[in-house]
């Protein structure tokens, strides 16, 4: 009976040691922090609430990848930049406040991440040329009629990781033209319609001297926001921009 008691006690001791050791290991493991994102939408020609506030926020927050705050109020940007890792601009409404404009540049200059979505690649603001010249490295002033085209990955990069080499979708094929006097761009994927020989940048890195900037020309409606290649690119872009 004594031997049985000793065996039971010994087993309990071993169990406690095992639990303690593994608990210590869990403590030592780094806690993966969610990327803090501010997504700015609003303006014309797009259903911002449905596809950016809705689908894109859900895509980014899946599995705790990111915490996303959405706003359609550009005046809210200034007070939130200090608390985020990535600024995701998807708006084509004006950012009129000079202090906010300067703060966005300061944010990127500090090495933070900027992701530019479909509506934000347009030449939206004649009174703020520095935006397109320096942060976008160009822009769009036109696009094909909404319809089908192919996107082809042209360079391996963390932003295009796990994305099919070619994928098909219906969208607005933006005539994205680089600005030769602006920040150079590194094209990661191109877009081409079957009815045209013209090829335009679709996913690209803006070679801004300090921060990390990714541009995604796709994103008019459900045909882009709900497909796996777009969602993978969006998550990859946020992760890369956030270092």
């Amino acid at each position: 009976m004594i031997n049985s008691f000793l065996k039971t006690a010994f087993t309990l001791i071993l169990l406690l040691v095992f639990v303690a050791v593994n608990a210590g290991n869990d403590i030592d493991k780094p806690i993966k922090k969610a990327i803090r994102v501010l997504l700015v939408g609003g303006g014309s020609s797009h259903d911002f609430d449905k596809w950016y506030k809705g689908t894109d926020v859900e895509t980014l927050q899946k599995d705790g990848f990111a915490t996303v705050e959405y706003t359609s109020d550009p005046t809210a940007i200034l007070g939130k930049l200090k608390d985020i890792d990535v600024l995701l601009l998807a708006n084509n409404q004006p950012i009129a406040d000079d202090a906010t404009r300067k703060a966005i540049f300061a944010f990127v200059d500090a090495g933070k991440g900027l992701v530019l979505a479909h509506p934000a690649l347009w030449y939206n603001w004649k009174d703020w040329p520095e935006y397109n010249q320096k942060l976008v490295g160009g822009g769009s002033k036109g696009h094909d009629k909404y319809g089908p085209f192919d996107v082809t990955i042209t360079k391996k990069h963390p932003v295009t990781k796990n994305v099919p080499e070619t994928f098909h979708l219906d969208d607005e094929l933006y005539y994205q033209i680089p600005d030769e006097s602006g920040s150079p761009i590194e094209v990661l994927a191109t877009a081409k319609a079957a009815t045209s020989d013209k090829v335009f940048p679709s996913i690209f890195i803006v070679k801004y001297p300090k921060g990390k900037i990714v541009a995604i020309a796709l994103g008019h409606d459900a045909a882009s926001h709900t497909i796996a290649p777009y969602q993978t690119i969006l998550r990859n872009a946020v992760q890369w921009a956030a270092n």
Side-chain angles (χ1 to χ4, degrees), residues 88-109:
L88 201 169
L89 294 179
N91 59 305
N92 57 14
Q93 64 173 320
I95 298 174
D97 179 57
D98 188 56
T100 301
R101 293 178 175 185
K102 289 179 179 178
I104 290 172
F105 269 91
F107 179 82
V108 183
D109 284 337

Side-chain angles (χ1 to χ4, degrees), residues 5-202:
F5 173 79
L6 290 174
K7 286 181 180 179
T8 302
F10 184 69
T11 301
L12 287 172
I13 290 170
L14 288 177
L15 180 61
L16 289 171
V17 170
F18 176 81
V19 170
V21 168
N22 282 277
N25 288 340
D26 288 340
I27 291 170
D28 292 337
K29 289 179 182 178
I31 298 173
K32 186 178 180 181
K33 293 183 178 180
I35 301 168
R36 301 169 299 171
V37 180
L38 176 64
L39 200 170
V40 183
S44 62
S45 304
H46 302 85
D47 191 337
F48 291 95
D49 280 356
K50 191 168 187 178
W51 305 124
Y52 292 97
K53 182 180 181 180
T55 305
D56 282 1
V57 169
E58 182 180 349
T59 294
L60 290 172
Q61 294 193 148
K62 184 178 179 181
D63 301 324
F65 174 78
T67 57
V68 185
E69 180 176 356
Y70 176 88
T71 182
S72 57
D73 178 10
T75 64
I77 297 172
L78 186 61
K80 298 180 184 297
L81 290 177
K82 67 182 185 302
D83 298 319
I84 63 171
D85 305 305
V86 175
L87 175 63
L88 201 169
L89 294 179
N91 59 305
N92 57 14
Q93 64 173 320
I95 298 174
D97 179 57
D98 188 56
T100 301
R101 293 178 175 185
K102 289 179 179 178
I104 290 172
F105 269 91
F107 179 82
V108 183
D109 284 337
K112 296 297 184 71
L114 176 64
V115 176
L116 303 170
H118 176 82
L121 298 181
W122 205 258
Y123 276 96
N124 290 309
W125 306 295
K126 292 182 179 179
D127 65 336
W128 193 19
E130 298 84 4
Y131 173 85
N132 283 91
Q133 183 184 40
K134 296 181 180 180
L135 296 182
V136 186
S140 297
K141 293 182 179 179
H143 59 74
D144 275 1
K145 183 179 179 181
Y146 180 90
F149 61 86
D150 291 325
V151 176
T152 301
I153 303 301
T154 57
K155 186 168 185 177
K156 290 184 177 180
H157 188 277
V159 173
T160 57
K161 184 179 179 181
N162 297 325
V163 179
E165 184 176 340
T166 300
F167 61 95
H168 183 83
L169 78 166
D170 285 358
D171 204 331
E172 295 172 330
L173 198 165
Y174 268 26
Y175 303 154
Q176 185 71 29
I177 306 296
D179 183 346
E180 293 183 0
S181 67
S183 300
I185 68 171
E186 178 183 354
V187 179
L188 307 181
T190 57
K192 178 185 177 301
T195 56
S196 174
D197 292 329
K198 293 182 179 180
V199 178
F200 294 96
S202 186

